[in-house]
Amino acid sequence: MTDSHHDAGDYRAPGGPAPDQPTGGHPVKAVLGGILVLWLVLWVIIPNPKEQPIDPKTGVTELTPGMTTGTPNVPHVTSRPAAVLLEFNAAAVVVPPDTTSDQVAHLLQRFKQARVDQTLVQYVPPTIKGDKLGPHAIADIYIFSEKEWATAEALRALARGPDVGDKQGLHFRDVVPHIRGHYVINLHEPEHRDRGSLGYADEAGTNYGTGFKELF
């Protein structure tokens, strides 16, 4: 008859480790688990760098505001002067063909700020000479994204208005649909120094085209 007695030290549960094996988990699994926990802690504690203020001293987050839709960032768009017509205080500016309406609106706001800072001449040629209020005391600045429309001939057609035609040249209604933005300055009218819009509307408030939106 065999002895069925076993020492307590020899006992192990079914599927458990042998007496001479460690009872802990696999070391690789333990390391991976630790890395996962650390990653989760860092993800929760450390905020998104995009939400951090640019200036650590003031805590101010410097973002370029969306001027028409409120979007937090609007990429700057480059512009260049294309034509000027001093007799009508008008200038044409060209932007790239893929410029969005938000970018045009932002550019108009930059022009307005430059006018206040007296640096608008860096972007737009003088539209008047000898005025004590400056080189843009009176100005009609038109933004086009098609360079073939940003011409002195187009500016002349716009200055003449919808009631004057030119059989051999452009007509007002030919040019208006191509206007992306319009900035009107008249420093001699304190209550209406600056008017800016997407598209075009005349002084009577008549809109031409489908993209008109008053900005300021």
Side-chain angles (χ1 to χ4, degrees), residues 62-85:
E62 298 179 359
L63 295 175
T64 303
M67 298 301 178
T68 58
T69 63
T71 51
N73 294 305
V74 175
H76 283 244
V77 62
T78 57
S79 65
R80 63 177 180 84
V84 64
L85 209 58

Side-chain angles (χ1 to χ4, degrees), residues 174-192:
D174 297 327
V175 182
V176 167
H178 300 276
I179 298 174
R180 298 293 307 277
H182 185 207
Y183 180 23
V184 182
I185 304 172
N186 191 338
L187 301 186
H188 295 278
E189 295 184 3
E191 296 181 358
H192 300 91

Side-chain angles (χ1 to χ4, degrees), residues 199-213:
Y200 178 85
D202 59 22
E203 294 182 358
T206 303
N207 302 342
Y208 296 86
T210 59
F212 175 80
K213 182 175 183 180

